[in-house]
Amino acid sequence: MAFEGLSNRLQEITRKLSGKARITESDLKDILREVKLALLEADVNYKIVKEFISTIQEKALGQDVLKSLTPGQQVVKIVRDELIELLGGTESKVNFTPNPPTIIMLVGLQGSGKTTTAGKLANLFRKQGKKPLLVACDVYRPAAIKQLQVVGNQLNIPVFSNEQSKDVVHIAKQAINVAISKLNDVIILDTAGRLQIDEELMQELKNVKASVKPHEILLVVDSMTGQEAVNVADTFHKEVGIDGIILTKLDGDTRGGAALSVKKITGRPIKFAATGEKLSDLEIFYPDRMARKNIRYGRYSICY
Ligand SMILES: Nc1nc2c(ncn2[C@@H]2O[C@H](COP(=O)(O)OP(=O)(O)O)[C@@H](O)[C@H]2O)c(=O)[nH]1
Ligand SMILES: [Mg+2]
């Protein structure tokens, strides 16, 4: 489960701290070293860890933690608040346009979970009273269209595809017309990915962006890929520009550090978290809950 290691380490640090009536400056140094190790072990990006630790140190000294009556609790609170901040502060909503259809474009590497997540998002939106349309924009592999159709069938949600065309911009535009005529108020574009970032893919995504003007471009990131996820997020954001992030596979044995890094690197919020292969395994991402969730409830957590 994601964050288990980090959670255990922070729990251990908290336990040690809670028994202390006073904390010296050298205690604080030790604590910060342990927090640093815990974050690095969780695979958080090194630069981010460094910045994180120095912020905590500044806050702890600034708030005169060492002189307080409950220094342990105060340090723990500072760490927790900073983690929440790192994860984005408060939850970020999808921007639905007042003039439907809202166009959402999913981008990301092959295998990151775009097609599965497209279905999950459609399912979630339908529960919120929307009428979604899924659109097959991964035109290079015939199996990709079929996969989205299977997902749509399972959910009983319509899928637009055009097997005669390889022109993704054209397909997206056709889909918008279909959505308007069938009163679908949200369109989810399932785009193609590559195993690695390549110029051709970026160009295609840029073309779709320029001509279709999606209201939201959401990057789907496989949290199991660790630091690579951070590079991918950085590149997609610089090249295409994204509005938010969806983290997938948080149910796997990821150490979770990527989750703690992508928001900081791109400056874009994590909007959803996918935690399984079922089409209901998608949640709105709440940074504060993420920072508090308990492992015992069988979810990812950074709990202490
Ligand atoms: N365990 C787990 N598997 C997932 C999750 N999301 C997607 N997958 C799996 O990851 C694989 C690739 O997903 P797919 O949607 O085809 O990725 P795409 O190439 O980006 O469209 C599939 O086997 C999915 O079942 C998730 O949140 N958890
Ligand atoms: Mg796909």
Side-chain angles (χ1 to χ4, degrees):
M1 207 47 78
F3 299 121
E4 203 162 347
L6 180 57
S7 166
N8 292 343
R9 291 290 295 257
L10 292 174
Q11 247 164 17
E12 181 62 18
I13 296 168
T14 310
R15 203 181 51 76
K16 273 196 235 163
L17 278 173
S18 59
K20 280 188 186 281
R22 300 219 66 73
I23 291 182
T24 64
E25 207 162 332
S26 106
D27 285 339
L28 183 63
K29 253 194 178 156
D30 287 347
I31 296 161
L32 290 179
R33 190 175 312 121
E34 286 190 44
V35 173
K36 183 175 173 177
L37 274 176
L39 291 167
L40 287 173
E41 267 177 24
D43 203 26
V44 180
N45 184 281
Y46 181 71
K47 272 196 281 187
I48 293 172
V49 173
K50 254 177 74 176
E51 215 180 299
F52 187 80
I53 295 297
S54 78
T55 310
I56 292 173
Q57 184 165 14
E58 253 169 55
K59 291 210 165 151
L61 295 176
Q63 292 174 20
D64 266 343
V65 161
L66 303 183
K67 290 190 203 130
S68 94
L69 291 176
T70 52
Q73 273 154 279
Q74 281 213 30
V75 174
V76 169
K77 183 175 183 315
I78 292 172
V79 173
R80 193 189 59 204
D81 289 351
E82 276 313 300
L83 272 177
I84 294 173
E85 214 32 57
L86 190 62
L87 287 166
T90 51
E91 87 264 25
S92 309
K93 304 213 163 62
V94 168
N95 296 307
F96 289 105
T97 167
N99 308 309
T102 298
I103 303 165
I104 296 177
M105 171 159 122
L106 298 186
V107 300
L109 291 187
Q110 193 173 314
S112 60
K114 288 179 299 302
T115 304
T116 315
T117 306
K120 290 178 182 181
L121 265 182
N123 193 23
L124 191 77
F125 291 154
R126 183 172 55 185
K127 282 188 199 148
Q128 297 172 350
K130 305 265 179 228
K131 232 185 126 201
L133 174 69
L134 290 162
V135 183
C137 289
D138 183 350
V139 291
Y140 304 104
R141 297 174 304 134
I145 298 176
K146 181 86 194 134
Q147 188 192 349
L148 190 67
Q149 283 165 342
V150 168
V151 166
N153 268 341
Q154 277 171 8
L155 293 166
N156 201 17
I157 285 175
V159 175
F160 178 81
S161 65
N162 178 351
E163 272 139 271
Q164 313 315 317
S165 174
K166 296 255 181 272
D167 179 348
V168 180
V169 170
H170 174 65
I171 295 172
K173 284 185 170 166
Q174 282 185 313
I176 294 169
N177 287 331
V178 169
I180 291 169
S181 69
K182 304 248 173 181
L183 301 177
N184 294 109
D185 50 11
V186 52
I187 296 180
I188 301 169
L189 306 178
D190 177 32
T191 65
R194 302 272 196 285
L195 289 174
Q196 247 125 40
I197 288 170
D198 72 47
E199 203 31 58
E200 206 183 328
L201 169 68
M202 291 298 158
Q203 196 52 53
E204 177 177 296
L205 297 176
K206 282 187 234 180
N207 291 346
V208 178
K209 179 179 178 175
S211 41
V212 174
K213 302 196 173 49
H215 301 91
E216 293 259 353
I217 299 181
L218 299 177
L219 175 69
V220 178
V221 173
D222 178 347
S223 56
M224 303 280 287
T225 54
Q227 286 310 300
E228 181 53 21
V230 181
N231 297 334
V232 166
D234 195 27
T235 310
F236 268 87
H237 186 46
K238 282 185 180 138
E239 291 267 335
V240 185
I242 60 170
D243 301 297
I245 296 156
I246 301 178
L247 287 177
T248 61
K249 309 188 194 179
L250 279 168
D251 50 309
D253 61 353
T254 163
R255 286 176 288 164
L260 287 168
S261 312
V262 285
K263 154 70 177 55
K264 179 85 180 167
I265 292 283
T266 59
R268 291 294 182 262
I270 301 167
K271 296 200 173 186
F272 298 95
T275 53
E277 293 193 74
K278 288 202 303 292
L279 293 172
S280 53
D281 291 334
L282 186 77
E283 301 172 8
I284 294 170
F285 185 84
Y286 296 99
D288 54 341
R289 286 190 209 166
M290 181 82 164
R292 288 197 188 104
K293 259 182 186 172
N294 196 312
I295 315 167
R296 274 175 296 146
Y297 291 95
R299 291 284 188 197
Y300 47 83
S301 75
I302 315 168
C303 187
Y304 38 89

PDB file of all heavy atoms in Angstrom, residues 134-150 153 159-168 170-172 174-175:
ATOM      1  N   LEU A 134     -17.651   9.039 -23.752  1.00  0.00           N
ATOM      2  CA  LEU A 134     -16.232   8.652 -23.863  1.00  0.00           C
ATOM      3  C   LEU A 134     -15.824   8.717 -25.328  1.00  0.00           C
ATOM      4  O   LEU A 134     -16.604   8.346 -26.211  1.00  0.00           O
ATOM      5  CB  LEU A 134     -16.034   7.233 -23.325  1.00  0.00           C
ATOM      6  CG  LEU A 134     -16.180   7.071 -21.803  1.00  0.00           C
ATOM      7  CD1 LEU A 134     -16.401   5.611 -21.437  1.00  0.00           C
ATOM      8  CD2 LEU A 134     -14.933   7.619 -21.098  1.00  0.00           C
ATOM      9  N   VAL A 135     -14.603   9.171 -25.596  1.00  0.00           N
ATOM     10  CA  VAL A 135     -14.163   9.316 -26.985  1.00  0.00           C
ATOM     11  C   VAL A 135     -12.817   8.619 -27.195  1.00  0.00           C
ATOM     12  O   VAL A 135     -11.835   8.910 -26.509  1.00  0.00           O
ATOM     13  CB  VAL A 135     -14.030  10.815 -27.359  1.00  0.00           C
ATOM     14  CG1 VAL A 135     -13.636  10.955 -28.818  1.00  0.00           C
ATOM     15  CG2 VAL A 135     -15.327  11.547 -27.081  1.00  0.00           C
ATOM     16  N   ALA A 136     -12.786   7.723 -28.176  1.00  0.00           N
ATOM     17  CA  ALA A 136     -11.573   6.948 -28.456  1.00  0.00           C
ATOM     18  C   ALA A 136     -10.638   7.758 -29.356  1.00  0.00           C
ATOM     19  O   ALA A 136     -10.832   7.829 -30.568  1.00  0.00           O
ATOM     20  CB  ALA A 136     -11.953   5.631 -29.127  1.00  0.00           C
ATOM     21  N   CYS A 137      -9.647   8.366 -28.763  1.00  0.00           N
ATOM     22  CA  CYS A 137      -8.660   9.133 -29.539  1.00  0.00           C
ATOM     23  C   CYS A 137      -7.316   8.427 -29.619  1.00  0.00           C
ATOM     24  O   CYS A 137      -6.335   9.016 -30.065  1.00  0.00           O
ATOM     25  CB  CYS A 137      -8.468  10.523 -28.932  1.00  0.00           C
ATOM     26  SG  CYS A 137      -9.882  11.596 -29.166  1.00  0.00           S
ATOM     27  N   ASP A 138      -7.259   7.185 -29.157  1.00  0.00           N
ATOM     28  CA  ASP A 138      -6.040   6.398 -29.328  1.00  0.00           C
ATOM     29  C   ASP A 138      -6.262   5.563 -30.580  1.00  0.00           C
ATOM     30  O   ASP A 138      -6.852   4.488 -30.535  1.00  0.00           O
ATOM     31  CB  ASP A 138      -5.817   5.512 -28.097  1.00  0.00           C
ATOM     32  CG  ASP A 138      -4.515   4.719 -28.201  1.00  0.00           C
ATOM     33  OD1 ASP A 138      -3.909   4.717 -29.297  1.00  0.00           O
ATOM     34  OD2 ASP A 138      -4.113   4.110 -27.204  1.00  0.00           O
ATOM     35  N   VAL A 139      -5.807   6.104 -31.722  1.00  0.00           N
ATOM     36  CA  VAL A 139      -6.188   5.514 -33.014  1.00  0.00           C
ATOM     37  C   VAL A 139      -5.116   4.596 -33.597  1.00  0.00           C
ATOM     38  O   VAL A 139      -5.297   4.036 -34.667  1.00  0.00           O
ATOM     39  CB  VAL A 139      -6.491   6.627 -34.043  1.00  0.00           C
ATOM     40  CG1 VAL A 139      -7.771   7.356 -33.659  1.00  0.00           C
ATOM     41  CG2 VAL A 139      -5.333   7.597 -34.147  1.00  0.00           C
ATOM     42  N   TYR A 140      -4.018   4.451 -32.899  1.00  0.00           N
ATOM     43  CA  TYR A 140      -2.904   3.703 -33.496  1.00  0.00           C
ATOM     44  C   TYR A 140      -3.003   2.210 -33.271  1.00  0.00           C
ATOM     45  O   TYR A 140      -2.537   1.420 -34.071  1.00  0.00           O
ATOM     46  CB  TYR A 140      -1.571   4.247 -32.982  1.00  0.00           C
ATOM     47  CG  TYR A 140      -1.478   5.717 -33.255  1.00  0.00           C
ATOM     48  CD1 TYR A 140      -1.661   6.650 -32.238  1.00  0.00           C
ATOM     49  CD2 TYR A 140      -1.301   6.172 -34.561  1.00  0.00           C
ATOM     50  CE1 TYR A 140      -1.636   8.003 -32.510  1.00  0.00           C
ATOM     51  CE2 TYR A 140      -1.284   7.521 -34.850  1.00  0.00           C
ATOM     52  CZ  TYR A 140      -1.450   8.428 -33.820  1.00  0.00           C
ATOM     53  OH  TYR A 140      -1.450   9.759 -34.096  1.00  0.00           O
ATOM     54  N   ARG A 141      -3.626   1.840 -32.145  1.00  0.00           N
ATOM     55  CA  ARG A 141      -3.785   0.420 -31.890  1.00  0.00           C
ATOM     56  C   ARG A 141      -5.275   0.104 -31.924  1.00  0.00           C
ATOM     57  O   ARG A 141      -6.036   0.649 -31.134  1.00  0.00           O
ATOM     58  CB  ARG A 141      -3.216   0.060 -30.512  1.00  0.00           C
ATOM     59  CG  ARG A 141      -1.703   0.311 -30.386  1.00  0.00           C
ATOM     60  CD  ARG A 141      -1.254   0.066 -28.942  1.00  0.00           C
ATOM     61  NE  ARG A 141      -2.010   0.887 -28.006  1.00  0.00           N
ATOM     62  CZ  ARG A 141      -2.550   0.447 -26.880  1.00  0.00           C
ATOM     63  NH1 ARG A 141      -2.430  -0.828 -26.550  1.00  0.00           N
ATOM     64  NH2 ARG A 141      -3.207   1.261 -26.092  1.00  0.00           N
ATOM     65  N   PRO A 142      -5.710  -0.780 -32.865  1.00  0.00           N
ATOM     66  CA  PRO A 142      -7.139  -1.121 -32.929  1.00  0.00           C
ATOM     67  C   PRO A 142      -7.641  -1.607 -31.567  1.00  0.00           C
ATOM     68  O   PRO A 142      -8.763  -1.332 -31.164  1.00  0.00           O
ATOM     69  CB  PRO A 142      -7.194  -2.246 -33.966  1.00  0.00           C
ATOM     70  CG  PRO A 142      -5.923  -2.148 -34.733  1.00  0.00           C
ATOM     71  CD  PRO A 142      -4.911  -1.483 -33.861  1.00  0.00           C
ATOM     72  N   ALA A 143      -6.779  -2.303 -30.833  1.00  0.00           N
ATOM     73  CA  ALA A 143      -7.184  -2.850 -29.536  1.00  0.00           C
ATOM     74  C   ALA A 143      -7.543  -1.751 -28.541  1.00  0.00           C
ATOM     75  O   ALA A 143      -8.332  -1.966 -27.624  1.00  0.00           O
ATOM     76  CB  ALA A 143      -6.068  -3.721 -28.968  1.00  0.00           C
ATOM     77  N   ALA A 144      -6.965  -0.563 -28.752  1.00  0.00           N
ATOM     78  CA  ALA A 144      -7.220   0.525 -27.808  1.00  0.00           C
ATOM     79  C   ALA A 144      -8.665   1.002 -27.887  1.00  0.00           C
ATOM     80  O   ALA A 144      -9.298   1.283 -26.869  1.00  0.00           O
ATOM     81  CB  ALA A 144      -6.268   1.688 -28.084  1.00  0.00           C
ATOM     82  N   ILE A 145      -9.174   1.074 -29.127  1.00  0.00           N
ATOM     83  CA  ILE A 145     -10.569   1.489 -29.318  1.00  0.00           C
ATOM     84  C   ILE A 145     -11.492   0.452 -28.680  1.00  0.00           C
ATOM     85  O   ILE A 145     -12.409   0.769 -27.936  1.00  0.00           O
ATOM     86  CB  ILE A 145     -10.890   1.655 -30.820  1.00  0.00           C
ATOM     87  CG1 ILE A 145      -9.994   2.757 -31.403  1.00  0.00           C
ATOM     88  CG2 ILE A 145     -12.365   1.963 -31.040  1.00  0.00           C
ATOM     89  CD1 ILE A 145     -10.130   2.956 -32.907  1.00  0.00           C
ATOM     90  N   LYS A 146     -11.172  -0.805 -28.971  1.00  0.00           N
ATOM     91  CA  LYS A 146     -11.970  -1.917 -28.439  1.00  0.00           C
ATOM     92  C   LYS A 146     -11.983  -1.866 -26.904  1.00  0.00           C
ATOM     93  O   LYS A 146     -13.012  -2.046 -26.264  1.00  0.00           O
ATOM     94  CB  LYS A 146     -11.341  -3.236 -28.937  1.00  0.00           C
ATOM     95  CG  LYS A 146     -12.041  -4.468 -28.502  1.00  0.00           C
ATOM     96  CD  LYS A 146     -13.179  -4.803 -29.464  1.00  0.00           C
ATOM     97  CE  LYS A 146     -14.085  -5.835 -28.814  1.00  0.00           C
ATOM     98  NZ  LYS A 146     -15.486  -5.550 -28.925  1.00  0.00           N
ATOM     99  N   GLN A 147     -10.827  -1.591 -26.321  1.00  0.00           N
ATOM    100  CA  GLN A 147     -10.713  -1.552 -24.851  1.00  0.00           C
ATOM    101  C   GLN A 147     -11.656  -0.498 -24.259  1.00  0.00           C
ATOM    102  O   GLN A 147     -12.351  -0.741 -23.274  1.00  0.00           O
ATOM    103  CB  GLN A 147      -9.264  -1.244 -24.451  1.00  0.00           C
ATOM    104  CG  GLN A 147      -9.010  -1.387 -22.955  1.00  0.00           C
ATOM    105  CD  GLN A 147      -7.653  -0.804 -22.547  1.00  0.00           C
ATOM    106  OE1 GLN A 147      -6.821  -0.487 -23.398  1.00  0.00           O
ATOM    107  NE2 GLN A 147      -7.436  -0.674 -21.253  1.00  0.00           N
ATOM    108  N   LEU A 148     -11.694   0.669 -24.893  1.00  0.00           N
ATOM    109  CA  LEU A 148     -12.572   1.728 -24.387  1.00  0.00           C
ATOM    110  C   LEU A 148     -14.043   1.335 -24.571  1.00  0.00           C
ATOM    111  O   LEU A 148     -14.888   1.618 -23.711  1.00  0.00           O
ATOM    112  CB  LEU A 148     -12.270   3.064 -25.083  1.00  0.00           C
ATOM    113  CG  LEU A 148     -12.963   4.270 -24.446  1.00  0.00           C
ATOM    114  CD1 LEU A 148     -12.418   4.565 -23.051  1.00  0.00           C
ATOM    115  CD2 LEU A 148     -12.831   5.519 -25.315  1.00  0.00           C
ATOM    116  N   GLN A 149     -14.317   0.648 -25.687  1.00  0.00           N
ATOM    117  CA  GLN A 149     -15.696   0.200 -25.921  1.00  0.00           C
ATOM    118  C   GLN A 149     -16.137  -0.804 -24.857  1.00  0.00           C
ATOM    119  O   GLN A 149     -17.271  -0.759 -24.379  1.00  0.00           O
ATOM    120  CB  GLN A 149     -15.827  -0.416 -27.318  1.00  0.00           C
ATOM    121  CG  GLN A 149     -15.879   0.650 -28.406  1.00  0.00           C
ATOM    122  CD  GLN A 149     -15.646   0.088 -29.800  1.00  0.00           C
ATOM    123  OE1 GLN A 149     -15.130  -1.027 -29.961  1.00  0.00           O
ATOM    124  NE2 GLN A 149     -16.012   0.858 -30.811  1.00  0.00           N
ATOM    125  N   VAL A 150     -15.210  -1.664 -24.483  1.00  0.00           N
ATOM    126  CA  VAL A 150     -15.533  -2.654 -23.442  1.00  0.00           C
ATOM    127  C   VAL A 150     -15.838  -1.947 -22.122  1.00  0.00           C
ATOM    128  O   VAL A 150     -16.818  -2.247 -21.439  1.00  0.00           O
ATOM    129  CB  VAL A 150     -14.366  -3.672 -23.274  1.00  0.00           C
ATOM    130  CG1 VAL A 150     -14.543  -4.521 -22.023  1.00  0.00           C
ATOM    131  CG2 VAL A 150     -14.254  -4.557 -24.512  1.00  0.00           C
ATOM    132  N   ASN A 153     -19.182  -0.309 -22.361  1.00  0.00           N
ATOM    133  CA  ASN A 153     -20.239  -1.312 -22.260  1.00  0.00           C
ATOM    134  C   ASN A 153     -20.484  -1.734 -20.826  1.00  0.00           C
ATOM    135  O   ASN A 153     -21.622  -1.871 -20.393  1.00  0.00           O
ATOM    136  CB  ASN A 153     -19.850  -2.565 -23.065  1.00  0.00           C
ATOM    137  CG  ASN A 153     -20.381  -2.472 -24.477  1.00  0.00           C
ATOM    138  OD1 ASN A 153     -21.303  -1.685 -24.744  1.00  0.00           O
ATOM    139  ND2 ASN A 153     -19.794  -3.241 -25.384  1.00  0.00           N
ATOM    140  N   VAL A 159     -19.708   5.372 -26.100  1.00  0.00           N
ATOM    141  CA  VAL A 159     -18.328   5.592 -26.550  1.00  0.00           C
ATOM    142  C   VAL A 159     -18.386   6.055 -28.005  1.00  0.00           C
ATOM    143  O   VAL A 159     -18.997   5.388 -28.840  1.00  0.00           O
ATOM    144  CB  VAL A 159     -17.501   4.290 -26.470  1.00  0.00           C
ATOM    145  CG1 VAL A 159     -16.113   4.484 -27.050  1.00  0.00           C
ATOM    146  CG2 VAL A 159     -17.415   3.793 -25.028  1.00  0.00           C
ATOM    147  N   PHE A 160     -17.753   7.186 -28.303  1.00  0.00           N
ATOM    148  CA  PHE A 160     -17.659   7.610 -29.690  1.00  0.00           C
ATOM    149  C   PHE A 160     -16.313   7.185 -30.260  1.00  0.00           C
ATOM    150  O   PHE A 160     -15.267   7.426 -29.651  1.00  0.00           O
ATOM    151  CB  PHE A 160     -17.795   9.131 -29.832  1.00  0.00           C
ATOM    152  CG  PHE A 160     -17.661   9.582 -31.260  1.00  0.00           C
ATOM    153  CD1 PHE A 160     -18.735   9.497 -32.129  1.00  0.00           C
ATOM    154  CD2 PHE A 160     -16.435  10.023 -31.752  1.00  0.00           C
ATOM    155  CE1 PHE A 160     -18.605   9.866 -33.470  1.00  0.00           C
ATOM    156  CE2 PHE A 160     -16.289  10.397 -33.079  1.00  0.00           C
ATOM    157  CZ  PHE A 160     -17.377  10.316 -33.948  1.00  0.00           C
ATOM    158  N   SER A 161     -16.350   6.532 -31.439  1.00  0.00           N
ATOM    159  CA  SER A 161     -15.088   6.207 -32.114  1.00  0.00           C
ATOM    160  C   SER A 161     -15.303   6.333 -33.621  1.00  0.00           C
ATOM    161  O   SER A 161     -16.443   6.324 -34.095  1.00  0.00           O
ATOM    162  CB  SER A 161     -14.643   4.788 -31.755  1.00  0.00           C
ATOM    163  OG  SER A 161     -15.576   3.861 -32.250  1.00  0.00           O
ATOM    164  N   ASN A 162     -14.202   6.485 -34.333  1.00  0.00           N
ATOM    165  CA  ASN A 162     -14.270   6.532 -35.786  1.00  0.00           C
ATOM    166  C   ASN A 162     -13.086   5.736 -36.324  1.00  0.00           C
ATOM    167  O   ASN A 162     -11.974   6.236 -36.423  1.00  0.00           O
ATOM    168  CB  ASN A 162     -14.213   7.986 -36.271  1.00  0.00           C
ATOM    169  CG  ASN A 162     -14.236   8.075 -37.786  1.00  0.00           C
ATOM    170  OD1 ASN A 162     -14.126   7.051 -38.480  1.00  0.00           O
ATOM    171  ND2 ASN A 162     -14.365   9.283 -38.305  1.00  0.00           N
ATOM    172  N   GLU A 163     -13.372   4.476 -36.616  1.00  0.00           N
ATOM    173  CA  GLU A 163     -12.282   3.584 -37.007  1.00  0.00           C
ATOM    174  C   GLU A 163     -11.735   3.887 -38.395  1.00  0.00           C
ATOM    175  O   GLU A 163     -10.681   3.395 -38.785  1.00  0.00           O
ATOM    176  CB  GLU A 163     -12.732   2.128 -36.884  1.00  0.00           C
ATOM    177  CG  GLU A 163     -12.471   1.597 -35.487  1.00  0.00           C
ATOM    178  CD  GLU A 163     -13.591   0.727 -34.919  1.00  0.00           C
ATOM    179  OE1 GLU A 163     -14.509   1.298 -34.293  1.00  0.00           O
ATOM    180  OE2 GLU A 163     -13.529  -0.486 -35.107  1.00  0.00           O
ATOM    181  N   GLN A 164     -12.467   4.726 -39.165  1.00  0.00           N
ATOM    182  CA  GLN A 164     -11.999   5.075 -40.518  1.00  0.00           C
ATOM    183  C   GLN A 164     -10.928   6.170 -40.481  1.00  0.00           C
ATOM    184  O   GLN A 164     -10.267   6.415 -41.479  1.00  0.00           O
ATOM    185  CB  GLN A 164     -13.148   5.616 -41.386  1.00  0.00           C
ATOM    186  CG  GLN A 164     -14.440   4.823 -41.369  1.00  0.00           C
ATOM    187  CD  GLN A 164     -14.205   3.338 -41.499  1.00  0.00           C
ATOM    188  OE1 GLN A 164     -13.392   2.899 -42.303  1.00  0.00           O
ATOM    189  NE2 GLN A 164     -14.902   2.557 -40.693  1.00  0.00           N
ATOM    190  N   SER A 165     -10.808   6.853 -39.379  1.00  0.00           N
ATOM    191  CA  SER A 165      -9.944   8.037 -39.344  1.00  0.00           C
ATOM    192  C   SER A 165      -8.780   7.885 -38.377  1.00  0.00           C
ATOM    193  O   SER A 165      -8.899   7.245 -37.330  1.00  0.00           O
ATOM    194  CB  SER A 165     -10.783   9.256 -38.934  1.00  0.00           C
ATOM    195  OG  SER A 165      -9.941  10.371 -38.759  1.00  0.00           O
ATOM    196  N   LYS A 166      -7.650   8.462 -38.791  1.00  0.00           N
ATOM    197  CA  LYS A 166      -6.503   8.505 -37.876  1.00  0.00           C
ATOM    198  C   LYS A 166      -6.236   9.945 -37.442  1.00  0.00           C
ATOM    199  O   LYS A 166      -5.216  10.254 -36.837  1.00  0.00           O
ATOM    200  CB  LYS A 166      -5.235   7.958 -38.566  1.00  0.00           C
ATOM    201  CG  LYS A 166      -5.307   6.503 -38.942  1.00  0.00           C
ATOM    202  CD  LYS A 166      -4.469   5.668 -37.975  1.00  0.00           C
ATOM    203  CE  LYS A 166      -4.488   4.180 -38.321  1.00  0.00           C
ATOM    204  NZ  LYS A 166      -5.597   3.451 -37.693  1.00  0.00           N
ATOM    205  N   ASP A 167      -7.192  10.818 -37.802  1.00  0.00           N
ATOM    206  CA  ASP A 167      -7.028  12.233 -37.503  1.00  0.00           C
ATOM    207  C   ASP A 167      -7.725  12.547 -36.169  1.00  0.00           C
ATOM    208  O   ASP A 167      -8.944  12.688 -36.101  1.00  0.00           O
ATOM    209  CB  ASP A 167      -7.641  13.050 -38.654  1.00  0.00           C
ATOM    210  CG  ASP A 167      -7.529  14.543 -38.411  1.00  0.00           C
ATOM    211  OD1 ASP A 167      -7.199  14.948 -37.275  1.00  0.00           O
ATOM    212  OD2 ASP A 167      -7.799  15.303 -39.363  1.00  0.00           O
ATOM    213  N   VAL A 168      -6.930  12.648 -35.134  1.00  0.00           N
ATOM    214  CA  VAL A 168      -7.478  12.757 -33.785  1.00  0.00           C
ATOM    215  C   VAL A 168      -8.259  14.059 -33.598  1.00  0.00           C
ATOM    216  O   VAL A 168      -9.295  14.085 -32.930  1.00  0.00           O
ATOM    217  CB  VAL A 168      -6.332  12.646 -32.749  1.00  0.00           C
ATOM    218  CG1 VAL A 168      -6.866  12.762 -31.352  1.00  0.00           C
ATOM    219  CG2 VAL A 168      -5.620  11.313 -32.921  1.00  0.00           C
ATOM    220  N   HIS A 170      -9.925  15.657 -35.884  1.00  0.00           N
ATOM    221  CA  HIS A 170     -11.201  15.440 -36.573  1.00  0.00           C
ATOM    222  C   HIS A 170     -12.140  14.596 -35.706  1.00  0.00           C
ATOM    223  O   HIS A 170     -13.321  14.926 -35.541  1.00  0.00           O
ATOM    224  CB  HIS A 170     -10.906  14.756 -37.915  1.00  0.00           C
ATOM    225  CG  HIS A 170     -12.122  14.348 -38.674  1.00  0.00           C
ATOM    226  ND1 HIS A 170     -13.021  15.265 -39.166  1.00  0.00           N
ATOM    227  CD2 HIS A 170     -12.606  13.115 -39.006  1.00  0.00           C
ATOM    228  CE1 HIS A 170     -14.004  14.614 -39.786  1.00  0.00           C
ATOM    229  NE2 HIS A 170     -13.765  13.312 -39.691  1.00  0.00           N
ATOM    230  N   ILE A 171     -11.617  13.538 -35.125  1.00  0.00           N
ATOM    231  CA  ILE A 171     -12.442  12.648 -34.292  1.00  0.00           C
ATOM    232  C   ILE A 171     -12.990  13.417 -33.081  1.00  0.00           C
ATOM    233  O   ILE A 171     -14.172  13.323 -32.751  1.00  0.00           O
ATOM    234  CB  ILE A 171     -11.610  11.422 -33.827  1.00  0.00           C
ATOM    235  CG1 ILE A 171     -11.226  10.569 -35.043  1.00  0.00           C
ATOM    236  CG2 ILE A 171     -12.386  10.590 -32.802  1.00  0.00           C
ATOM    237  CD1 ILE A 171     -10.248   9.449 -34.750  1.00  0.00           C
ATOM    238  N   ALA A 172     -12.123  14.205 -32.468  1.00  0.00           N
ATOM    239  CA  ALA A 172     -12.550  14.964 -31.287  1.00  0.00           C
ATOM    240  C   ALA A 172     -13.662  15.944 -31.669  1.00  0.00           C
ATOM    241  O   ALA A 172     -14.649  16.096 -30.941  1.00  0.00           O
ATOM    242  CB  ALA A 172     -11.362  15.694 -30.668  1.00  0.00           C
ATOM    243  N   GLN A 174     -15.763  15.678 -34.216  1.00  0.00           N
ATOM    244  CA  GLN A 174     -16.980  14.895 -34.478  1.00  0.00           C
ATOM    245  C   GLN A 174     -17.668  14.553 -33.161  1.00  0.00           C
ATOM    246  O   GLN A 174     -18.889  14.642 -33.033  1.00  0.00           O
ATOM    247  CB  GLN A 174     -16.611  13.580 -35.188  1.00  0.00           C
ATOM    248  CG  GLN A 174     -16.326  13.718 -36.667  1.00  0.00           C
ATOM    249  CD  GLN A 174     -16.090  12.342 -37.281  1.00  0.00           C
ATOM    250  OE1 GLN A 174     -15.336  11.529 -36.730  1.00  0.00           O
ATOM    251  NE2 GLN A 174     -16.729  12.084 -38.412  1.00  0.00           N
ATOM    252  N   ALA A 175     -16.849  14.178 -32.187  1.00  0.00           N
ATOM    253  CA  ALA A 175     -17.397  13.770 -30.887  1.00  0.00           C
ATOM    254  C   ALA A 175     -18.134  14.933 -30.215  1.00  0.00           C
ATOM    255  O   ALA A 175     -19.182  14.732 -29.584  1.00  0.00           O
ATOM    256  CB  ALA A 175     -16.280  13.258 -29.979  1.00  0.00           C
TER     257      ALA A 175
END
